[in-house]
Amino acid sequence: MAGRGGVTNNTQTNTLVWDGIVPPQCQPNPSILRLSAKLKWVQAHEPHHADIDFNKTNWVGPGMPFSNAVLTKDPNFGVVGLVPCAIGGTNISEWKKGSFIYGQTVGRTQAALKARGVIRALFLYQGESDTVTREDAKLYKQRSEKIFVDLRSDLQIPMLPIIRVHFLHSDLL
């Protein structure tokens, strides 16, 4: 979810760098905001996870094209507020209730709600790290569903829609 699109390996320096391309569907829009690491609403732009997933090279991710598509589909939607929480390379078990990442996610979401935000859905684009072992792949569905139950409870949004995109390969299940 944090976005690794456009990130390439500079073979001369052996470092990850952004290729400089922002696709049209990822362009900033005044109607798309993001909650910064300092819990302030600012206009969203790529990389919108740079101050959240700061130990990685971030760039183009699915948040901006998703938000732009929502606004294209319904021009009267209003403002889309993104609450970035992704930490790349994490296993779903690292997101369980009681973990640092879970606490950050709940805290950032509560901050967005205090700022008169309305949570319409949770967009989870996660799972690559859960394909490393067969055990993690088999437990992915159970673990993620438990997190969804906990998030809905802790955020007091029992019917919170969750849009889940994952990368589990059927041969691991």
Side-chain angles (χ1 to χ4, degrees), residues 54-73:
F54 54 85
N55 287 324
K56 304 262 173 131
T57 301
N58 292 280
W59 204 253
V60 176
M64 293 299 291
F66 177 82
S67 300
N68 277 311
V70 167
L71 294 173
T72 299
K73 186 84 169 163

Side-chain angles (χ1 to χ4, degrees), residues 56 86-95 101 126-130:
K56 304 262 173 131
I87 305 295
T90 54
N91 184 291
I92 195 72
S93 63
E94 294 176 75
W95 289 80
I101 299 172
Q126 195 275 339
E128 302 98 304
S129 296
D130 293 281

Side-chain angles (χ1 to χ4, degrees), residues 106 110 113 149-160:
V106 171
Q110 289 171 335
L113 289 168
V149 168
D150 290 340
L151 282 170
R152 286 176 171 137
S153 174
D154 289 344
L155 296 173
Q156 299 177 355
I157 309 172
M159 299 304 291
L160 176 66

Side-chain angles (χ1 to χ4, degrees), residues 95-142:
W95 289 80
K96 68 183 175 191
K97 185 173 182 164
S99 70
F100 174 79
I101 299 172
Y102 182 90
Q104 285 289 104
T105 300
V106 171
R108 289 180 54 70
T109 305
Q110 289 171 335
L113 289 168
K114 284 182 185 172
R116 296 185 301 214
V118 176
I119 306 299
R120 295 197 186 187
L122 180 134
F123 186 20
L124 180 74
Y125 195 88
Q126 195 275 339
E128 302 98 304
S129 296
D130 293 281
T131 64
V132 175
T133 70
R134 186 175 301 276
E135 179 183 357
D136 282 340
K138 285 184 177 185
L139 292 172
Y140 181 82
K141 181 179 179 189
Q142 176 185 342

Side-chain angles (χ1 to χ4, degrees), residues 1 29-35 41-45 48 62-84 112 117-118 120-121 123:
M1 187 70 198
N29 180 322
S31 294
I32 304 173
L33 304 177
R34 67 177 285 276
L35 191 66
W41 288 108
V42 297
Q43 185 172 349
H45 59 80
H48 71 272
M64 293 299 291
F66 177 82
S67 300
N68 277 311
V70 167
L71 294 173
T72 299
K73 186 84 169 163
D74 182 0
N76 298 317
F77 186 85
V79 174
V80 173
L82 300 171
V83 183
V118 176
R120 295 197 186 187
F123 186 20

